[in-house]
Amino acid sequence: MRTIPVELPGARYDIVVGYGLLDAEVPRTLLARAVTGRRGLIVTDSTVLPLYADGLAAVLPALGAAAVDTVSFAAGEAHKTLDTVEALYHAGLAAGLDRQSVALALGGGVVGDVAGFFAATYMRGIRLVQVPTTLLALVDSSVGGKVGVDLPEGKNLVGAFFQPVLVLADLACLGSLPAREIRCGLAEIIKYAVILDADLFCLLEENVAALTRLDRALCEDVVSRCCALKTDVVRADEREAGRRAILNYGHTFGHALEAFTGYGRLIHGEAVAIGMGMAADLAVAMGRAAAVLPARQDALLQAYGLPCRAHSVARSAAAAILKLMERDKKASNGKLRLVLPAEIGRVDVLEFTDRDSLETAIGGRLG
Ligand SMILES: NC(=O)c1ccc[n+]([C@@H]2O[C@H](COP(=O)([O-])OP(=O)(O)OC[C@H]3O[C@@H](n4cnc5c(N)ncnc54)[C@H](O)[C@@H]3O)[C@@H](O)[C@H]2O)c1
Ligand SMILES: [Zn+2]
């Protein structure tokens, strides 16, 4: 078990990473501190509810919670909406939650974002405990305090920065996660390695078989390293004024690909994997990185079953994908901000105006 302390100007809490946390002393003590004397509302989705909600609900009274209710909504990104949040407000009121109460977000990134936004806004804010259950949520969405929902116009357009009081990252939940969702989390893990940690990149290269079979010690090591890496970035720039943007490596391309193909055909991690390829190719074309970089990155992504090009999208779609990128909310002052690798473990954030080379880099990974 590892504990990663998070210290931000307005918040101090721990991320605990390990197996079977609800039975272990340290996380139980931390959880008791978060819930004692308070009403708790476990927020989860329809898939996670039958898997893990009873286990969490059962320990909370023993840890001193005054009362515990559980509420779930239909699983999937389509339900990451204000309607779902409103249903949670009603459920919170029906359960008698007051300003001292605590919400426990039990699920993947969708649950974490929705329940987090609920906690940030219910009675102007109640305590939040994140209990991530997907690999993506373990290494990414439960860390850093971004919460929010989608609008019909686009993803994550409404939200807040809202830090939890505790993150319980129980790796035992990976056992029930479908392989495609595991790969989605691996894409984010490879992203951290490329942007920040060359040693982690080598570790991922050397341990493909063990990590693919979810070796326990290795999962604990890799997940806690990623949580620490993201925590460091967030500490330096909680509100994404600058450096936090490096976490978007592959994402500006990936989001546009997801939007172009229609959400669901390529899942997020697959789109990001292809997006990292586009960013790396562009870095090479601009003379900012060596040609071996995209080759090594491709080899690692493929070793973990991730795609490096979008075969189903015609090369001629590059211009349309570029247009979607320019509409992305990260475009500012008419300029596109892109995260480009310089070498494994180091990236730069650039304002980018050369549309031709960008279109070439996108097209090179299509068809
Ligand atoms: N807040 C942030 O900083 C941040 C960062 C990255 C992504 N996100 C958001 O996260 C979301 C994606 O998260 P996700 O990939 O976890 O998707 P998700 O929450 O939809 O989970 C994927 C699927 O797996 C199921 N599931 C969850 N845990 C399971 C388990 N242990 N066993 C079996 N099935 C399980 C879910 O019910 C769902 O059907 C997106 O909405 C994205 O915008 C947020
Ligand atoms: Zn992502």
Side-chain angles (χ1 to χ4, degrees):
M1 200 177 69
R2 316 268 176 100
T3 302
I4 297 138
V6 183
E7 278 168 38
L8 299 169
R12 159 138 208 358
Y13 59 94
D14 290 309
I15 303 172
V16 188
V17 181
Y19 286 83
L21 297 183
L22 294 179
D23 298 322
E25 195 185 325
V26 170
R28 281 176 74 97
T29 305
L30 292 170
L31 190 55
R33 204 177 290 161
V35 302
T36 297
R38 301 168 193 276
R39 288 182 172 270
L41 184 67
I42 297 172
V43 180
T44 189
D45 71 20
S46 50
T47 305
V48 178
L49 176 75
L51 295 171
Y52 302 112
D54 284 352
L56 183 58
V59 300
L60 293 175
L63 297 177
V68 183
D69 285 273
T70 301
V71 57
S72 72
F73 60 88
E77 184 77 28
H79 300 281
K80 195 173 129 176
T81 60
L82 287 170
D83 281 352
T84 302
V85 177
E86 186 179 349
L88 295 179
Y89 295 144
H90 296 306
L93 290 167
L97 295 202
D98 59 19
R99 295 208 56 199
Q100 312 312 319
S101 300
V102 53
L104 299 108
L106 173 70
V110 167
V111 168
D113 282 9
V114 166
F117 189 67
F118 160 75
T121 50
Y122 181 81
M123 296 189 176
R124 298 201 178 80
I126 60 171
R127 293 179 157 215
L128 171 68
V129 174
Q130 290 275 13
V131 190
T133 65
T134 63
L135 186 54
L136 182 134
L138 285 159
V139 296
D140 191 357
S141 60
S142 70
V143 183
K146 279 194 190 175
V147 298
V149 295
D150 303 333
L151 292 180
E153 289 88 343
K155 282 185 56 159
N156 298 322
L157 289 176
V158 175
F161 290 97
F162 190 70
Q163 300 294 338
V165 296
L166 175 66
V167 181
L168 286 185
D170 196 329
L171 302 169
C173 63
L174 294 178
S176 57
L177 199 63
R180 200 173 179 201
E181 300 292 343
I182 298 271
R183 286 200 292 275
C184 204
L186 282 164
E188 305 288 351
I189 290 170
I190 293 170
K191 174 195 80 177
Y192 287 119
V194 176
I195 64 175
L196 288 164
D197 191 341
D199 289 344
L200 176 60
F201 195 95
C202 294
L203 184 109
L204 296 173
E205 284 181 326
E206 286 157 14
N207 291 281
V208 174
L211 197 54
T212 304
R213 63 165 193 274
L214 300 177
D215 175 87
R216 287 171 65 120
L218 197 59
C219 281
E220 192 174 292
D221 185 27
V222 167
V223 169
S224 52
R225 276 173 86 149
C226 291
C227 289
L229 287 168
K230 181 161 180 186
T231 297
D232 278 349
V233 173
V234 171
R235 190 190 305 124
D237 176 23
E238 187 179 358
R239 303 252 154 178
E240 199 166 334
R243 183 159 170 79
R244 188 167 178 165
I246 67 170
L247 299 171
N248 294 327
Y249 178 51
H251 279 63
T252 308
F253 294 97
H255 287 152
L257 259 177
E258 278 181 275
F260 184 82
T261 55
Y263 288 97
R265 287 242 323 265
L266 277 173
I267 65 172
H268 177 71
E270 294 165 347
V272 168
I274 298 165
M276 289 194 282
M278 292 170 174
D281 287 351
L282 184 58
V284 174
M286 292 171 66
R288 304 186 68 94
V292 68
L293 190 148
R296 211 173 145 201
Q297 179 180 274
D298 282 0
L300 189 63
L301 289 164
Q302 282 173 324
Y304 286 101
L306 286 155
C308 293
R309 57 188 306 120
H311 292 290
S312 62
V313 180
R315 227 185 151 94
S316 56
I321 290 170
L322 176 52
K323 280 225 170 64
L324 286 166
M325 284 172 69
E326 287 168 337
R327 259 203 284 162
D328 192 294
K329 65 177 186 295
K330 274 136 205 151
S332 58
N333 305 328
K335 284 180 191 154
L336 205 53
R337 277 171 88 203
L338 288 178
V339 185
L340 298 185
E343 60 188 10
I344 299 291
R346 191 163 64 83
V347 286
D348 301 305
V349 183
L350 303 173
E351 295 222 319
F352 205 81
T353 48
D354 178 358
R355 298 183 88 253
D356 286 347
S357 50
L358 197 44
E359 200 175 314
T360 305
I362 296 168
R365 295 273 174 170
L366 303 177

